[in-house]
Amino acid sequence: METYIKDLNLSPEVKTALSWYLHITKVSDLEGLNYLTFANRCPKNCNVLAIADELNALGYLYPPENEISVNNISMSKRLQNVLIRNNILYLSQLSIHPREEILKFRNMGESTMPELDSICEKYGIQIRSLVSIKEAFSDCHFPAALHTMFFKNAIFSIDDLKNKTAHDLYIICGHNYALNMKTYYTLKKNGVVFDDWEDKYLFEVLSQKNSALMWREYDLTTMSQLLDCNEERLKEICSTFPKLSETIMTLLPSIQS
């Protein structure tokens, strides 16, 4: 039987953070996560350590093995606070943060960054720049925020998108459907072929304009959602968007009459 986060003995703040920021609503959503992988998913406005500790107390989240905690390294208190405030609990997490982003961390001053560089050199951690991603996707004219999202998901070139699905891209885009749709079309124009997955986003089968209309007007984003619509709702959609009527009937031959 599925256990839901809302039914756990967690603080209201943690329940809200899990569902609102991380889209984690069931205990099964935590499978395969530990402190490190969980922290990597958390936005900066989450108190990741407090959330992880509450989940750990209930037996649902554990510290990773063979990872170097920032609490176990000799460093200034200022640097330690900067890292923890930005959800960096383990040194290896620094590899998914571009140098440009780290330099913008509050209180990461002229003396603190060299200290971090020295620690990373000692432990073999590489802090990379966004430059390579910007160059690799220069023809796509992506917003700067997407470069950072690609970086965090180890997407450094077009080749790194091989064997990815549109749903993988949705996760990479931070569950932002509008950004996912726009990025999908841009990448398709630049020769990227996405693999199939168990569902399809409407933008995979409709034009960008029509799929955007379906999303804005009816909050429909996937084929499974469209298939779940009753006949009355489908007629309403076809009536509202008569130009889409034929396309919808083609996609859903079972409802043709």
Side-chain angles (χ1 to χ4, degrees):
M1 184 176 178
E2 185 68 79
T3 303
Y4 289 86
I5 295 296
K6 64 182 178 64
D7 298 323
L8 297 180
N9 185 24
L10 296 168
S11 66
E13 294 78 12
V14 168
K15 289 181 180 180
T16 299
L18 288 171
S19 61
W20 183 257
Y21 295 115
L22 299 168
H23 309 284
I24 293 175
T25 59
K26 299 173 291 187
V27 168
S28 59
D29 294 334
L30 294 168
E31 289 180 7
L33 295 178
N34 56 39
Y35 272 43
L36 188 153
T37 52
F38 179 76
N40 287 343
R41 288 182 56 176
C42 290
K44 290 182 183 178
N45 53 346
C46 281
N47 186 341
V48 62
L49 197 55
I51 297 172
D53 284 345
E54 282 199 38
L55 289 170
N56 175 260
L58 296 179
Y60 292 118
L61 203 67
Y62 297 94
E65 297 180 357
N66 304 317
E67 289 288 343
I68 304 170
S69 169
V70 298
N71 291 312
N72 297 332
I73 300 173
S74 177
M75 66 175 71
S76 66
K77 191 64 178 177
R78 174 173 175 165
L79 176 56
Q80 187 180 73
N81 288 338
V82 168
L83 296 178
I84 292 175
R85 189 186 304 119
N86 287 278
N87 296 342
I88 298 173
L89 309 181
Y90 301 90
L91 269 191
S92 62
Q93 288 178 263
L94 289 165
S95 62
I96 66 167
H97 290 273
R99 176 172 291 274
E100 293 88 342
E101 180 185 352
I102 294 173
L103 285 168
K104 292 179 181 178
F105 288 171
R106 187 161 63 90
N107 291 333
M108 183 63 79
E110 293 182 1
S111 62
T112 316
M113 191 66 207
E115 180 187 359
L116 181 60
D117 282 332
S118 177
I119 291 172
C120 287
E121 183 178 0
K122 178 180 178 180
Y123 289 95
I125 303 295
Q126 183 182 15
I127 298 179
R128 301 177 63 169
S129 170
L130 285 171
V131 172
S132 61
I133 293 179
K134 291 178 180 178
E135 291 176 348
F137 295 96
S138 59
D139 293 338
C140 297
H141 306 290
F142 286 138
L146 188 58
H147 292 146
T148 302
M149 291 174 177
F150 276 4
F151 189 104
K152 291 179 181 296
N153 288 276
I155 306 296
F156 297 104
S157 69
I158 290 287
D159 287 342
D160 292 328
L161 289 163
K162 287 181 179 178
N163 303 318
K164 298 292 185 185
T165 68
H167 188 59
D168 292 328
L169 187 63
Y170 175 68
I171 295 171
I172 291 169
C173 290
H175 299 87
N176 183 326
Y177 182 75
L179 180 61
N180 184 33
M181 179 166 51
K182 185 176 181 179
T183 304
Y184 174 87
Y185 282 112
T186 301
L187 290 171
K188 288 276 284 187
K189 288 178 182 177
N190 283 271
V192 175
V193 177
F194 289 92
D195 285 357
D196 291 332
W197 55 296
E198 63 269 18
D199 202 344
K200 278 188 181 295
Y201 288 109
L202 292 180
F203 59 70
E204 294 183 79
V205 293
L206 297 176
S207 68
Q208 184 171 2
K209 179 181 178 181
N210 288 338
S211 52
L213 284 171
M214 296 287 277
W215 171 51
R216 287 198 298 266
E217 297 295 329
Y218 292 97
D219 198 28
L220 293 173
T221 61
T222 64
M223 282 295 297
S224 61
Q225 290 177 322
L226 193 58
L227 286 166
D228 286 340
C229 290
N230 57 37
E231 185 176 350
E232 183 179 348
R233 185 168 174 80
L234 285 170
K235 286 181 177 179
E236 179 188 346
I237 294 172
C238 291
S239 175
T240 305
F241 304 111
K243 291 183 179 180
L244 274 179
S245 178
E246 184 177 346
T247 302
I248 291 174
M249 292 304 177
T250 301
L251 294 173
L252 305 171
S254 61
I255 66 167
Q256 294 186 46
S257 56

